[in-house]
Amino acid sequence: MTEAVIRNKPGMASVKDMPILQDGPPPGGFAPVRFARRIPNKGPSAMAIFLAAFGAFSYGMYQVGQGNKVRRALKEEKYAARRAILPLLQAEEDERFVKEWNKYLEYEAEVMKDVPGWKVGQSVYNSGKWMPPATGELRPEAL
């Protein structure tokens, strides 16, 4: 819409010649503006929030304790199973060690057959105490 139609004045006219049209308040005025700080009284109290947080924390700690009991029982079961099969594993290792030791003694006898006074299997340290080798496998090339 043109300015002339809005102000009921036909044709082109100067803006200065047109009547002033100004916005104003609605009849009866605007509603009052509420500017006061209003804090709602809704929601739980501080004590209720504290008790809820304390209850949640207590329940969580109870669940942690129950989990620790279960984990401790599983760990004990695992260790009991290991203790139960330990003699079998030790017997297997002893059998393997004896076979490897006999192979080593045969190899030592073959290598040292030309050395006079050499006793096969006798320790060169003469400590009087027998100690198994620290390695898991007896290999002549590593000794």
Side-chain angles (χ1 to χ4, degrees), residues 65-78:
Q66 295 304 309
N68 286 344
K69 285 181 182 178
V70 169
R71 198 166 59 244
R72 191 177 309 122
L74 291 173
K75 194 177 192 180
E76 178 57 35
E77 181 181 353
K78 180 171 75 172

Side-chain angles (χ1 to χ4, degrees), residues 75-87 89:
K75 194 177 192 180
E76 178 57 35
E77 181 181 353
K78 180 171 75 172
Y79 288 152
R82 287 182 182 178
R83 284 190 304 268
I85 66 169
L86 186 63
L89 295 176

Side-chain angles (χ1 to χ4, degrees), residues 50-73:
F50 173 76
L51 290 176
F54 181 76
F57 176 77
S58 299
Y59 178 73
M61 285 291 105
Y62 172 76
Q63 290 294 68
V64 167
Q66 295 304 309
N68 286 344
K69 285 181 182 178
V70 169
R71 198 166 59 244
R72 191 177 309 122

Side-chain angles (χ1 to χ4, degrees), residues 19-40:
I20 296 174
L21 180 65
Q22 184 175 355
D23 288 339
F30 290 108
V33 176
R34 290 180 283 166
F35 59 88
R37 183 172 181 220
R38 297 185 324 150
I39 300 173

Side-chain angles (χ1 to χ4, degrees), residues 3-4 7 9 11 13-20:
E3 195 69 30
R7 298 182 185 214
K9 191 151 185 161
S14 171
V15 176
K16 294 179 181 175
D17 296 336
M18 296 180 151
I20 296 174

